[in-house]
Amino acid sequence: MKAVIFHLDDTLYPYIQHLHSGFAAVAMYVERNFRVSAKDAYATLRFAHEADARGSEFQRLCDVHRLDRSVVPDLLLEYCAHRPQLWLTHDAAAVLTTLRRSGWRLGLLTNGDPSVQKKKVEVLGLAALIDQVVYASEHAPGGKPAREPFIEVLRRLQVAPHDAVMVGDDAVNDVDGGRAAGLRTIFLARTGRPHCDRADAAVHALSDVPGAAAALFERGMANAA
């Protein structure tokens, strides 16, 4: 039995969706509690992220709309607690279905706050498409690229490391972490993303993953012969 294990953010769905969804929730919270237009608050957050305040968007929101920065923890809590509006990439469901029908076991191994990631998995409907979901930080501080989360998802899928492929867009967490745990790796390098030559294979679209995964094992069998 063989398995394909996927990263979540920017692999099965665009992470920018979650960011914008969270900004919208925070904007509504600000409107309810501080009488700042949600439209204006949302625009401030988007501009801050796209300009020069990435990582400190909530502080910029406070400064622009004259809110005390002491409310930033509440804004962060609202962001993390909101139920996001997300959609899988156009080819994700088809790819997962194709792999399953071809006999692959499917796993999801994701970093981040498990309470946040679980909401993403739920709204994306991944429980019906993936055999096992593992939240990496529950098995090692910081999650991937530590070895323990990879071993856990392999254990749940009941496959050996050399019979599994890790697919993701993060060269360190997905490629280096997967290789260190003994998995084969496929780097997802969508248009505009840098390549990673450490991966066993690279694809430009999720729809290329089934063929690339099959080729990795065919190549391994040929080399063994």
Side-chain angles (χ1 to χ4, degrees):
M1 187 176 294
K2 294 178 174 56
V4 179
I5 302 163
F6 289 89
H7 176 56
L8 178 58
D9 299 315
D10 276 337
T11 295
L12 295 180
Y13 87 101
Y15 176 72
I16 195 70
Q17 290 180 358
H18 187 267
L19 188 75
H20 291 170
S21 176
F23 283 172
V26 170
M28 292 298 296
Y29 175 86
V30 168
E31 181 174 83
R32 290 194 305 270
N33 291 278
F34 303 105
R35 297 184 180 180
V36 174
S37 161
K39 180 179 179 181
D40 291 343
Y42 180 76
T44 299
L45 290 167
R46 285 282 302 268
F47 182 79
H49 180 78
E50 294 163 7
D52 61 345
R54 186 167 297 190
S56 56
E57 294 93 342
F58 298 154
Q59 289 84 348
R60 177 64 60 83
L61 177 69
C62 290
D63 295 345
V64 170
H65 298 286
R66 299 182 180 180
L67 306 178
D68 194 294
R69 283 196 175 197
S70 64
V71 306
V72 167
D74 294 329
L75 303 183
L76 179 59
L77 182 63
E78 187 70 18
Y79 179 90
C80 292
H82 91 286
R83 182 177 176 82
Q85 297 183 26
L86 309 175
W87 300 267
L88 292 170
T89 59
H90 71 281
D91 50 359
V95 166
L96 296 175
T97 300
T98 296
L99 286 166
R100 257 188 169 175
R101 287 176 177 171
S102 299
W104 296 85
R105 295 277 288 164
L106 300 181
L108 182 69
L109 182 59
T110 177
N111 275 359
D113 183 336
S115 67
V116 174
Q117 300 304 90
K118 286 174 183 177
K119 292 189 189 75
K120 297 177 185 178
V121 169
E122 181 183 351
V123 300
L124 290 168
L126 286 171
L129 299 169
I130 297 282
D131 297 304
Q132 295 292 336
V133 178
V134 171
Y135 301 96
S137 63
E138 293 182 339
H139 301 279
K144 297 179 290 182
R147 184 173 182 271
E148 291 84 357
F150 292 94
I151 299 306
E152 177 61 18
V153 71
L154 292 170
R155 183 189 69 79
R156 294 190 192 183
L157 290 169
Q158 298 182 318
V159 296
H162 61 267
D163 285 328
V165 181
M166 180 70 206
V167 179
D169 70 305
D170 190 307
V172 174
N173 290 331
D174 301 324
V175 175
D176 294 345
R179 287 174 63 84
L183 287 73
R184 305 171 201 227
T185 58
I186 297 176
F187 183 67
L188 179 58
R190 289 196 173 97
T191 303
R193 300 295 297 271
H195 284 268
C196 173
D197 57 10
R198 301 188 298 279
D200 295 299
V203 296
H204 294 289
L206 205 60
S207 57
D208 296 327
V209 167
L216 286 179
F217 285 98
E218 290 171 3
R219 188 188 314 159
M221 290 168 51
N223 290 340

